[in-house]
Amino acid sequence: MTKSFVLALGAIGEGCINGLYPLLSEMVASLIPLLDDKFPLIRSISCWTLCRFRKYIVQDSGHQKGYQQFDAVLTGLLRRILDTNKRVREAACSAFAMVEEEAAEELAPRLEIILQHLMCAFGKYQRRKLRIVYDAIATLADAVGGELNQPVYIKILMPPLIAKWQQVSNSDKDLFLFLECFTSVAQVS
């Protein structure tokens, strides 16, 4: 039942946002705990569904309750980026990248914790899934711009990227994606 509810909510989310608007706060609040569900499929679908409501979640962050909900969504997605299940990690990282695009400068106060999670994922993900992390890092750099250019953030971000650069061969299929990520970071640093 939960799986069907969350899927249906995500499926109608973007198309029916105006009709759902009065209920969105409650709906998002009911989805947040599902990020920690015992079933990986529920965690994965919850990531996807929450990202479908990203515009509302970010827009609503201007007042106290909305800010708390925005923060809960971000921290929940960051936890799932390091999930034990690879499908959940993939869904969370993709959802987080979409939220990053929408949130932009709203992410600045949380940059340190975001970078710590993304760089932990950078070291944990295998090659195919690493593409999603490249995208999330590049999207973050594009979203927050010069906010990223602070020594504490550079110290978290650059050592793993430089180490990866030294490992990537010129014939690596992911070289272009890695360089795109690296370029986004370099442009704001």
Side-chain angles (χ1 to χ4, degrees):
M1 175 94 159
T2 303
K3 179 178 82 169
S4 300
F5 166 74
V6 176
L7 271 173
L9 205 53
I12 64 168
E14 287 184 353
C16 300
I17 197 80
N18 292 334
L20 294 173
Y21 198 82
L23 304 171
L24 283 176
S25 181
E26 293 172 40
M27 290 174 11
V28 170
S30 70
L31 288 167
I32 292 168
L34 297 178
L35 291 170
D36 296 316
D37 195 87
K38 66 180 179 177
F39 296 107
L41 185 58
I42 299 295
R43 295 193 306 270
S44 177
I45 294 169
S46 298
C47 291
W48 174 76
T49 300
L50 279 166
C51 95
R52 305 277 287 177
F53 296 114
R54 64 191 174 275
K55 286 182 179 160
Y56 165 78
I57 293 166
V58 171
Q59 287 172 353
D60 208 39
S61 68
H63 66 280
Q64 184 62 30
K65 185 179 178 188
Y67 179 84
Q68 291 171 344
Q69 202 167 61
F70 174 67
D71 205 48
V73 169
L74 284 183
T75 56
L77 289 174
L78 287 171
R79 272 194 320 277
R80 295 294 58 95
I81 284 173
L82 301 177
D83 199 276
T84 55
N85 183 284
K86 67 182 178 181
R87 286 190 175 88
V88 174
R89 289 193 305 257
E90 180 179 11
C93 202
S94 293
F96 191 78
M98 287 188 247
V99 171
E100 285 175 326
E101 286 178 15
E102 195 68 39
E105 66 275 351
E106 296 291 328
L107 299 173
R110 301 162 181 86
L111 270 175
E112 187 169 2
I113 192 76
I114 291 169
L115 288 171
Q116 289 168 347
H117 278 77
L118 288 177
M119 298 324 286
C120 189
F122 191 78
K124 186 177 189 173
Y125 284 35
Q126 294 177 354
R127 193 176 139 239
R128 267 189 38 218
K129 304 298 181 194
L130 201 51
R131 296 171 184 168
I132 300 166
V133 181
Y134 292 154
D135 181 54
I137 293 169
T139 302
L140 179 66
D142 295 340
V144 300
E147 293 289 332
L148 200 56
N149 191 9
Q150 295 183 34
V152 67
Y153 305 143
I154 300 298
K155 198 180 280 187
I156 296 169
L157 190 56
M158 291 311 289
L161 287 177
I162 291 170
K164 188 65 164 178
W165 187 8
Q166 293 170 342
Q167 295 171 357
V168 176
S169 73
N170 289 341
S171 61
D172 193 311
K173 291 179 181 179
D174 295 332
L175 178 63
F176 179 74
L177 294 171
F178 172 74
L179 290 175
E180 186 176 29
C181 169
F182 201 86
T183 300
S184 290
V185 171
Q187 286 177 334
V188 298
S189 299

